[in-house]
């Protein structure tokens, strides 16, 4: 494992001595066995480490607790009271789910996840998790999504929630939306949950980047986050998600000793065992240790200590090491005799070791994750690890459904069980020793009762006192500002209004310039967080490296190869740019950490995450959804947008649908700007919307293109009641009115399609006497949402004067056909087609899969070039009888369009 043959390439300076050591080892193996040999080697390694002989760490250790009992610290809590409190919480969490499912069959909820992890959380609540009451950012705790009932149950005991609230678990409609969300959703419970976690893998990933962002803020001297720790609770099954483990090496590389993962290793996921034929804890240990983490295993409860102490032969350790998880799961559901016969029994030494224990004793030998002393020791060690530079993973072995009785505990179906019979509830009550609090008669009532100790009880006082000492209740989301942000000055945006003159530039270049201006702004500048996943050169953003510097927690320890160049690769510990490397998921996690900083720590930060638009919504759509749930604010910039504007890259790179995907995210303001002044306006207004007076919890998505053309001057408003800014922001405005001509038409363009639209308008006028108005459609999503709202209002107010959707108001009274063209799929403009009922509406777009070719070839292929726009307009005019169909045919021929050409959609 350590050498893999490489040892033979090292010089042996004393072969005789080497031989002696090897012979000794051979003798030990032969005479005393392999276990003894392993022991001696471990001792040697330990001694070597103590003597500073650097040596690669082994990636796995035996299947026992990392902290032996003699090293356990004093447990400072009141064991008895904490046990009582845990019992109440366990009870209420279970009853809450049971009651919800009695009232509404199938409403769901989970009993067994929290049942397995109650102690994991309670140790944190009573002794570790720091709140924000003292005016600090506090700790950031990511709760396992399916453990939500337990978190509600504690809040109930603390009197943050009442019985009605618990009865509204998963019933979020009505009660003014004050139900308890199924899982941690800040979007639904903005005063309670901070971090959405339920989509497996996203919790750990975003927690990791949160810890990194704390360091970023500290190193940039924006906020003192040095005392904040990030705790992420996750399932062992969840570790199969690539997002869970995919970034752990970053945590070690960045020395995030402010990060703790607590993995609830109940050995089960939804359908069955996580690793029936292996050992998930060992596997995770190797993975985390290999990545440079500090790993603490909490496998066995205190009652095993005595047995391990007597295991002088190593037989017990060997049995622990060789038993697979499927067998361990079996032991949880079988009786003590089965354990005696099958775990201990086959080896006479082990049988003898437990001969003094009854079957019941054997059944009650608990797993470490249910032992608060062991857990306390592990958490303490994690805290004390601060300064080591290593993040900590605590791997806790638990039983899924622990205390819920034989029918539920450890069963393969346990994850899905949501109901309990009266008899099962009685067993639970007895198991939790709640006979005094909950009588048999109580259990016979229609609904099992909740229980919470009175305010003057010692239990209540204890838990409140503990939370007070630790800085207040958790979880709690607040938007109290600790460090206010000031908006950028208008100067930042000014230059974009005057256009680029003769110079051809792209909207991407315009945006990069804008980003630099924003970062230079005296007050606002430091709050700008540029995020890029190894694509800065593609977007021309490498020009920002030298000025803003790339964040590197260790600074730059080398002179870069391009040190003498203007655009050198400059890293600094207080660098501003998060150059994430090739991880769109990690970049999005940084976007979320920065975009929620206004709430997480009361320090608004403004992320600008620029990515290859194809690898945005499509690649990390679930994280974008999570950002919406987390109420993240900021800007997503889909660069190299469009299926024909990015020409050479082909099918995997050309994005013609991110705007379709963006249309599915309610909190996303999606724009497809054509010109630099539009980009600047949208960014300025977006900052105001998110960070100014209205403080909307939304984020913006802007497409940016890499096609160069002269950027026009910002036009005057075409509507006396609205400024040009309002017009740009509303999603559609008249960019150029129609010249007087025989026929009329409207061409709507977005993004890079504007040049084809302008060329088509010119040809239509010159050759066919059609005067076209040109509209810039900056956001069909916004137009549609506004139209839907009006439509609904009209439906529900039948006796009042009908209102008109904005898009109807703008277009429906116009003359001639409408042709809408963009570099995206036809469905994008089609979103508003039915709101313009009295005119024909033809969308042109890039349906089909991309391919590599020149822009002009691609635009012909997808039928969005000027000739196709001309044909579309003429065809509609012919349909309405304004011109003859031969005119259309002539245009098709003249432009060399092959009418039998295969449709791009099908290719
Ligand atoms: C991305 C994703 N896929 C699937 C699910 C459905 N799901 C919910 S819980 C669960 C099993 C969780 O097992 P584990 O992580 O071991 O947690 P435990 O409940 O055992 O603590 C699954 C598959 C989900 N929530 N998210
Ligand atoms: Mg599990």
């Amino acid at each position: 494992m350590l050498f893999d043959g490489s040892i033979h390439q090292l010089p042996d300076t004393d072969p005789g001595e080497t031989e002696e050591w090897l012979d000794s080892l051979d003798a030990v193996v032969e005479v005393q066995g392999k276990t003894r040999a392993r022991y001696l080697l471990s001792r040697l390694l330990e001694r070597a480490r103590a003597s500073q002989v650097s040596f690669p760490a082994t990636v796995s250790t035996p299947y026992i607790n990392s902290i032996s009992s003699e090293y356990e610290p004093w447990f400072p809590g009141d064991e008895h009271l904490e046990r009582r409190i845990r019992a109440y919480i366990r009870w209420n969490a279970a009853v809450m789910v049971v009651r919800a499912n009695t009232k509404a069959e199938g409403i769901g909820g989970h009993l067994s996840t929290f049942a397995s992890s109650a102690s994991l959380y309670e140790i944190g609540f009573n002794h570790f998790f720091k709140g924000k009451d003292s005016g600090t950012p506090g700790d950031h705790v990511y709760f396992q999504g399916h453990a939500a009932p337990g978190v509600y149950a504690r809040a109930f005991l603390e009197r943050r929630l009442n019985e009605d609230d618990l009865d509204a678990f998963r019933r979020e409609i009505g009660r003014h939306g004050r139900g308890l969300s199924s899982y941690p959703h800040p979007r639904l419970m903005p005063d309670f949950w901070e971090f959405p976690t339920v989509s497996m893998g996203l919790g750990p990933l975003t927690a990791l980047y949160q810890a990194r962002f704390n360091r970023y803020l500290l190193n940039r001297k924006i906020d003192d986050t040095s005392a904040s720790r990030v705790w992420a609770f996750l399932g062992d099954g969840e570790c199969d998600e690539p997002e869970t483990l995919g970034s752990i090496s970053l945590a070690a590389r960045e020395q995030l000793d402010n990060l703790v993962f607590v993995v609830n290793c109940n050995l089960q996921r939804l359908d069955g065992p996580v690793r029936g034929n292996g050992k998930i804890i060992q596997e995770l240990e190797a993975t985390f240790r290999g990545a440079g983490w500090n790993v603490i295993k909490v496998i066995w409860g205190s009652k095993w200590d005595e047995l391990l102490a007597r295991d002088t032969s190593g037989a017990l350790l060997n049995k622990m090491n060789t038993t697979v998880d499927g067998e361990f799961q079996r032991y949880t559901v079988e009786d003590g005799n089965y354990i005696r016969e099958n775990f201990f029994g086959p080896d006479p030494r082990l049988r003898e070791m437990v001969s003094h224990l009854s079957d019941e004793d054997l059944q009650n030998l608990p797993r470490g994750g249910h032992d608060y002393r062991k857990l306390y020791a592990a958490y303490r060690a994690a805290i004390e690890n601060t300064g080591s530079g290593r993040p900590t993973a605590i791997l806790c072995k638990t039983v899924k459904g622990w205390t819920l009785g034989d029918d539920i505990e450890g069963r393969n179906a346990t994850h899905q069980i949501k109901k309990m019979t009266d008899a099962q509830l009685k067993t639970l009550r007895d198991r939790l020793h709640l006979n005094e609090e909950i009588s048999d008669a109580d259990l016979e009532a229609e609904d099992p009762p909740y229980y919470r100790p009175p305010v003057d009880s010692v239990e209540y006082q204890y838990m409140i006192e503990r939370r007070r000492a630790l800085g207040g209740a958790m979880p709690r989301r607040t938007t109290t500002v600790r460090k206010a942000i000031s908006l950028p000055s208008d100067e930042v945006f000014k230059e974009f209004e005057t256009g680029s003159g003769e110079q051809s530039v792209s909207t991407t270049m315009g945006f990069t310039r804008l980003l630099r201006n924003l970062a230079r702004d005296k007050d606002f500048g430091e709050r700008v967080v540029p995020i890029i996943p190894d694509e800065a050169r593609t977007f021309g953003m490498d020009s920002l490296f030298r000025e803003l510097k790339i964040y590197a927690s260790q600074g730059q320890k080398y002179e870069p190869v391009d040190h003498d160049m203007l655009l050198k690769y400059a890293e600094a510990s207080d660098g501003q740019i998060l150059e994430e490397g090739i991880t769109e998921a990690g970049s999005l996690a940084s976007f979320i950490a920065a975009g929620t900083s206004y709430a997480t720590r009361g320090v608004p930060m403004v992320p600008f995450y620029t990515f290859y638009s194809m690898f945005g919504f499509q690649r990390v759509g679930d994280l974008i959804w999570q950002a919406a749930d987390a109420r993240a604010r900021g800007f997503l910039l889909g660069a190299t947008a469009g299926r024909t504007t990015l020409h050479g890259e082909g099918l995997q790179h050309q994005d013609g649908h991110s705007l379709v995907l963006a249309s599915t995210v309610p909190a996303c303001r999606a724009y497809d700007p054509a010109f630099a002044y539009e980009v600047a306006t949208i960014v300025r207004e977006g900052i105001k919307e998110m960070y100014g007076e209205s403080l909307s919890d939304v984020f913006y998505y802007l497409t940016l293109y890499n096609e160069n053309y002269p950027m026009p001057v910002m036009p005057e408003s075409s509507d006396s009641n609205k400024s040009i800014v309002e017009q740009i922001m509303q999603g559609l405005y008249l960019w150029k009115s129609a010249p007087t001509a025989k026929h009329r038409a409207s061409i709507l363009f977005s993004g890079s399609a504007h040049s084809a639209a302008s060329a088509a308008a010119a040809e239509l006028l010159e050759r066919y006497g059609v005067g076209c108005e040109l509209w810039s459609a900056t956001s069909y999503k916004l137009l549609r949402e506004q139209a839907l709202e009006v439509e609904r209002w009209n439906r529900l107010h039948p006796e009042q004067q009908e209102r008109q959707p904005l898009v109807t108001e703008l277009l429906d009274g116009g003359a001639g056909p409408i042709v809408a063209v963009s570099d995206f799929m036809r469905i994008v403009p089609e979103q508003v087609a039915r709101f313009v009922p009295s005119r024909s509406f033809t969308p042109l777009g890039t349906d089909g899969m991309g391919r590599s070719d020149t822009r002009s070839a691609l635009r012909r292929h997808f039928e969005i070039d000027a000739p196709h726009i001309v044909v579309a307009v003429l065809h509609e005019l012919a349909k309405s009888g304004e011109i003859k169909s031969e005119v259309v045919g002539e245009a098709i021929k003249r432009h060399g369009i092959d009418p039998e050409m295969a449709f791009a959609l099908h290719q």
Side-chain angles (χ1 to χ4, degrees), residues 113 144 146 198-200 235-238 241 264 266 268-270 274 400 415:
T113 299
Q144 213 184 331
H146 301 77
V198 77
S199 177
M200 309 259 106
D236 46 0
E238 186 172 10
E241 291 284 6
N264 175 17
N266 54 27
Q268 291 177 247
R269 44 181 166 74
L270 193 150
V274 178
K400 192 148 179 170
H415 189 87

Short mmCIF file of all heavy atoms in Angstrom, two decimals, residues 113 144 146 198-200 235-238 241 264 266 268-270 274 400 415, ligand 1:
data_model
loop_
_atom_site.label_atom_id
_atom_site.label_comp_id
_atom_site.label_asym_id
_atom_site.label_seq_id
_atom_site.Cartn_x
_atom_site.Cartn_y
_atom_site.Cartn_z
N THR A 113 -34.07 8.68 10.15
CA THR A 113 -32.81 9.41 9.97
C THR A 113 -32.46 10.16 11.25
O THR A 113 -31.36 10.01 11.80
CB THR A 113 -32.90 10.38 8.78
OG1 THR A 113 -33.16 9.63 7.60
CG2 THR A 113 -31.62 11.17 8.60
N GLN A 144 -28.62 17.57 8.13
CA GLN A 144 -29.02 16.57 7.14
C GLN A 144 -30.51 16.80 6.85
O GLN A 144 -31.32 16.86 7.78
CB GLN A 144 -28.79 15.19 7.74
CG GLN A 144 -28.39 14.12 6.76
CD GLN A 144 -28.28 12.76 7.44
OE1 GLN A 144 -27.97 12.66 8.62
NE2 GLN A 144 -28.54 11.70 6.69
N HIS A 146 -33.11 15.17 5.89
CA HIS A 146 -34.15 14.26 6.38
C HIS A 146 -34.23 14.22 7.89
O HIS A 146 -35.09 13.57 8.44
CB HIS A 146 -33.92 12.86 5.81
CG HIS A 146 -33.95 12.87 4.32
ND1 HIS A 146 -32.89 13.32 3.57
CD2 HIS A 146 -34.93 12.56 3.46
CE1 HIS A 146 -33.22 13.26 2.29
NE2 HIS A 146 -34.44 12.81 2.20
N VAL A 198 -31.26 19.27 1.23
CA VAL A 198 -31.87 17.94 1.05
C VAL A 198 -31.50 17.25 -0.24
O VAL A 198 -31.54 16.03 -0.32
CB VAL A 198 -33.38 18.03 1.21
CG1 VAL A 198 -34.04 18.62 -0.02
CG2 VAL A 198 -33.93 16.65 1.53
N SER A 199 -31.09 17.98 -1.25
CA SER A 199 -30.65 17.29 -2.45
C SER A 199 -29.26 16.75 -2.14
O SER A 199 -28.30 17.50 -1.94
CB SER A 199 -30.62 18.28 -3.62
OG SER A 199 -30.14 17.62 -4.75
N MET A 200 -29.19 15.43 -2.07
CA MET A 200 -27.98 14.77 -1.54
C MET A 200 -26.69 15.27 -2.21
O MET A 200 -26.63 15.36 -3.44
CB MET A 200 -28.04 13.26 -1.77
CG MET A 200 -29.29 12.58 -1.31
SD MET A 200 -29.07 11.76 0.26
CE MET A 200 -29.95 12.87 1.29
N GLY A 235 -25.28 12.08 5.40
CA GLY A 235 -25.51 10.64 5.51
C GLY A 235 -24.38 9.86 4.88
O GLY A 235 -23.66 10.36 4.01
N ASP A 236 -24.24 8.60 5.31
CA ASP A 236 -23.20 7.76 4.69
C ASP A 236 -23.59 7.42 3.25
O ASP A 236 -22.75 7.38 2.35
CB ASP A 236 -22.91 6.50 5.51
CG ASP A 236 -24.16 5.76 5.97
OD1 ASP A 236 -25.29 6.21 5.67
OD2 ASP A 236 -24.01 4.72 6.66
N GLY A 237 -24.88 7.24 3.01
CA GLY A 237 -25.32 7.00 1.63
C GLY A 237 -25.05 8.21 0.76
O GLY A 237 -24.68 8.10 -0.41
N GLU A 238 -25.22 9.37 1.35
CA GLU A 238 -25.03 10.63 0.63
C GLU A 238 -23.59 10.75 0.11
O GLU A 238 -23.31 11.50 -0.82
CB GLU A 238 -25.35 11.80 1.59
CG GLU A 238 -25.34 13.16 0.94
CD GLU A 238 -25.86 14.26 1.86
OE1 GLU A 238 -26.05 13.99 3.07
OE2 GLU A 238 -26.06 15.37 1.37
N GLU A 241 -22.69 10.42 -3.57
CA GLU A 241 -22.86 11.51 -4.54
C GLU A 241 -21.49 12.11 -4.87
O GLU A 241 -20.71 12.42 -3.95
CB GLU A 241 -23.73 12.64 -3.95
CG GLU A 241 -25.19 12.28 -3.77
CD GLU A 241 -25.99 12.27 -5.08
OE1 GLU A 241 -25.38 12.43 -6.15
OE2 GLU A 241 -27.21 12.06 -5.00
N ASN A 264 -23.12 10.62 9.44
CA ASN A 264 -23.98 9.71 10.17
C ASN A 264 -23.94 8.35 9.48
O ASN A 264 -24.67 8.09 8.53
CB ASN A 264 -25.40 10.30 10.17
CG ASN A 264 -26.41 9.37 10.80
OD1 ASN A 264 -26.04 8.42 11.50
ND2 ASN A 264 -27.68 9.62 10.53
N ASN A 266 -25.06 5.21 9.53
CA ASN A 266 -26.01 4.20 10.02
C ASN A 266 -26.00 2.97 9.11
O ASN A 266 -26.82 2.08 9.26
CB ASN A 266 -27.41 4.80 10.18
CG ASN A 266 -27.90 5.48 8.91
OD1 ASN A 266 -27.48 5.12 7.81
ND2 ASN A 266 -28.78 6.45 9.05
N GLN A 268 -26.96 2.45 6.34
CA GLN A 268 -28.08 2.26 5.42
C GLN A 268 -28.36 3.54 4.65
O GLN A 268 -28.14 4.63 5.15
CB GLN A 268 -29.34 1.89 6.21
CG GLN A 268 -29.27 0.52 6.83
CD GLN A 268 -30.51 0.22 7.66
OE1 GLN A 268 -30.43 0.11 8.88
NE2 GLN A 268 -31.66 0.12 7.00
N ARG A 269 -28.90 3.34 3.47
CA ARG A 269 -29.44 4.47 2.70
C ARG A 269 -30.93 4.23 2.54
O ARG A 269 -31.55 3.76 3.49
CB ARG A 269 -28.67 4.65 1.41
CG ARG A 269 -28.38 3.36 0.65
CD ARG A 269 -27.58 3.64 -0.62
NE ARG A 269 -27.01 2.44 -1.18
CZ ARG A 269 -27.68 1.50 -1.83
NH1 ARG A 269 -28.98 1.62 -1.99
NH2 ARG A 269 -27.07 0.43 -2.31
N LEU A 270 -31.51 4.55 1.38
CA LEU A 270 -32.96 4.43 1.27
C LEU A 270 -33.40 2.97 1.05
O LEU A 270 -34.27 2.45 1.73
CB LEU A 270 -33.46 5.33 0.14
CG LEU A 270 -34.97 5.58 0.05
CD1 LEU A 270 -35.24 6.94 -0.56
CD2 LEU A 270 -35.71 4.52 -0.76
N VAL A 274 -25.55 0.64 2.72
CA VAL A 274 -24.68 1.49 1.90
C VAL A 274 -23.56 0.63 1.31
O VAL A 274 -23.25 0.71 0.13
CB VAL A 274 -24.11 2.65 2.75
CG1 VAL A 274 -23.15 3.50 1.93
CG2 VAL A 274 -25.24 3.52 3.30
N LYS A 400 -29.83 2.96 12.11
CA LYS A 400 -30.91 3.73 11.48
C LYS A 400 -32.23 3.36 12.17
O LYS A 400 -32.59 2.19 12.26
CB LYS A 400 -30.97 3.43 9.97
CG LYS A 400 -31.86 4.39 9.22
CD LYS A 400 -31.39 4.64 7.82
CE LYS A 400 -32.32 5.59 7.11
NZ LYS A 400 -31.81 6.05 5.82
N HIS A 415 -36.22 3.64 6.19
CA HIS A 415 -36.18 5.03 5.70
C HIS A 415 -37.57 5.52 5.32
O HIS A 415 -37.88 6.71 5.47
CB HIS A 415 -35.25 5.13 4.49
CG HIS A 415 -34.97 6.54 4.06
ND1 HIS A 415 -33.95 7.29 4.61
CD2 HIS A 415 -35.59 7.33 3.16
CE1 HIS A 415 -33.95 8.49 4.04
NE2 HIS A 415 -34.93 8.55 3.17
C1 LIG B 1 -29.88 13.95 -5.16
C2 LIG B 1 -30.83 13.12 -4.37
N1 LIG B 1 -31.10 11.87 -4.78
C3 LIG B 1 -31.98 11.11 -4.08
C4 LIG B 1 -32.59 11.59 -2.97
C5 LIG B 1 -33.61 10.74 -2.25
N2 LIG B 1 -33.11 10.29 -0.94
C6 LIG B 1 -33.46 10.89 0.16
S1 LIG B 1 -32.78 10.25 1.53
C7 LIG B 1 -31.99 9.08 0.65
C8 LIG B 1 -31.14 8.08 1.36
C9 LIG B 1 -30.22 8.77 2.31
O1 LIG B 1 -29.32 7.90 2.87
P1 LIG B 1 -28.19 8.45 3.79
O2 LIG B 1 -27.47 9.54 3.14
O3 LIG B 1 -27.39 7.30 4.26
O4 LIG B 1 -28.99 9.12 4.99
P2 LIG B 1 -29.66 8.44 6.26
O5 LIG B 1 -31.11 8.73 6.13
O6 LIG B 1 -29.36 7.00 6.22
O7 LIG B 1 -29.05 9.11 7.43
C10 LIG B 1 -32.28 9.22 -0.70
C11 LIG B 1 -31.78 8.35 -1.78
C12 LIG B 1 -32.28 12.91 -2.57
N3 LIG B 1 -32.83 13.48 -1.49
N4 LIG B 1 -31.38 13.64 -3.26
#
